[in-house]
Amino acid sequence: MGVLKRFEQRLEGLVNGTFAKVFKSEVQPVEIAGALQRECDNNASIWNRDRTVVPNDFIVELSTPDYERLSPYSGQLGDELAGMVRDYAKQQRYTFMGPIKVHLEKAEDLDTGLYRVRSRTLASSTSQDRPGQAAAARATGAPSQPGGHVAPPMPTSPPPGAPPVPRSAAPGAGPQPYAQTRRWVEINGTRHQISRSTLVLGRSTDADVRIDDPGVSRRHCEIRVGPPPTIQDLGSTNGIVVDGQHTTHASLRDGSRIVVGSTTIVYRQAEG
């Protein structure tokens, strides 16, 4: 059973069905849960071969009407969403720098049914409260506002968001033990990192990368790391076009252009 499905089932039994009534608004909890999963994937930082760090502090911005509906349950919903993130990270072998927290906030510029997710990586502190986390951020010299990614110093690993540094580049270091290839896709100017062996693209919230395009199927296609890296159509309605050719399966190279529906995806890879 998938992480999102288990999350939905847990919500069904909470507060004697109160959640079922509250969440008849435009924003559904599974949509927020799916957005948190994508936030982890899109901001995953590879520190070394065995460790990929993802954000642990999330802010979900809601329109005024949706916030007013959900705020009485924000504590319980935040706990459930944090548990879902923890389950998803375990499944994907992600790690965190501190406790997982999910907060709801009101955003005056959002219309009913719209939401926005911001995230940051905060190191553990003894108090584990937000002021303590801000102090940890100041100690590292990194920004503490939402959207910044903060982590404690780790001399033997690259900082979050930076590509791994070959050992041969460090003064006095020995030869590099392995070459690491970074892979990602670019969609409408946004980079989505490929941090595991497969990446499913589609319109569903269950997809690893969600594409809001009516011409895209719920689970449209899947990129497989390989070697060699390939793309596989998953029985979509409109198919895929790779480098100008209609196909159901194709090998990928750096710069390959994939068209699904009316959306163009560029596959990228670079040696670490």
Side-chain angles (χ1 to χ4, degrees):
M1 183 185 300
V3 173
L4 288 180
K5 188 63 178 177
R6 293 198 300 272
F7 171 75
E8 286 185 289
Q9 289 184 349
R10 285 200 302 269
L11 281 187
E12 288 174 2
L14 290 178
V15 200
N16 296 323
T18 300
F19 277 91
K21 297 175 184 177
V22 171
F23 290 127
K24 287 182 179 178
S25 61
E26 291 286 342
V27 176
Q28 301 296 325
V30 70
E31 292 180 293
I32 298 175
L36 293 178
Q37 287 187 359
R38 293 192 296 275
E39 192 72 10
C40 287
D41 292 337
N42 296 343
N43 293 286
S45 298
I46 300 174
W47 287 53
N48 54 48
R49 182 167 50 184
D50 301 315
R51 190 177 194 191
T52 299
V53 176
V54 295
N56 59 301
D57 191 84
F58 302 87
I59 296 174
V60 180
E61 296 183 339
L62 300 167
S63 67
T64 299
D66 283 323
Y67 178 79
E68 290 175 352
R69 291 187 185 98
L70 306 185
S71 58
Y73 314 97
S74 60
Q76 195 167 15
L77 177 58
D79 289 344
E80 287 296 327
L81 288 168
M84 183 283 304
V85 171
R86 188 178 297 105
D87 291 345
Y88 183 67
K90 182 178 180 181
Q91 174 183 297
Q92 303 301 329
R93 297 184 180 179
Y94 292 152
T95 59
F96 303 100
M97 298 304 300
I100 306 166
K101 293 187 178 182
V102 180
H103 318 273
L104 301 185
E105 289 188 0
K106 180 167 60 176
E108 302 288 349
D109 62 321
L110 293 178
D111 294 329
T112 302
L114 298 180
Y115 60 91
R116 183 166 51 228
V117 176
R118 294 181 288 142
S119 68
R120 53 185 175 178
T121 299
L122 291 178
S124 298
S125 64
T126 55
S127 61
Q128 292 190 353
D129 58 9
R130 296 183 70 85
Q133 291 166 337
R138 289 193 298 271
T140 62
S144 61
Q145 69 274 14
H149 295 278
V150 180
M154 291 186 68
T156 60
S157 301
V165 178
R167 291 185 60 185
S168 58
Q176 186 178 0
Y178 64 92
Q180 188 174 40
T181 301
R182 295 179 293 114
R183 299 178 176 86
W184 67 94
V185 292
E186 296 172 356
I187 306 175
N188 297 327
T190 301
R191 176 181 292 195
H192 303 271
Q193 185 172 339
I194 303 174
S195 55
R196 51 188 182 277
S197 59
T198 61
L199 184 80
V200 175
L201 301 101
R203 192 160 41 87
S204 169
T205 55
D206 291 332
D208 298 319
V209 175
R210 185 169 182 265
I211 301 175
D212 187 12
D213 182 335
V216 173
S217 298
R218 292 178 60 81
R219 290 173 58 86
H220 198 103
C221 58
E222 179 180 68
I223 293 176
R224 299 171 183 173
V225 169
T230 60
I231 186 167
Q232 175 72 49
D233 181 51
L234 297 178
S236 66
T237 301
N238 296 319
I240 59 176
V241 177
V242 180
D243 293 328
Q245 300 293 320
H246 285 274
T247 184
T248 58
H249 180 85
S251 296
L252 298 175
R253 55 175 178 78
D254 181 40
S256 285
R257 300 180 72 83
I258 306 157
V259 178
V260 294
S262 58
T263 301
T264 298
I265 303 163
V266 181
Y267 171 81
R268 293 292 189 186
Q269 67 179 39
E271 294 300 323

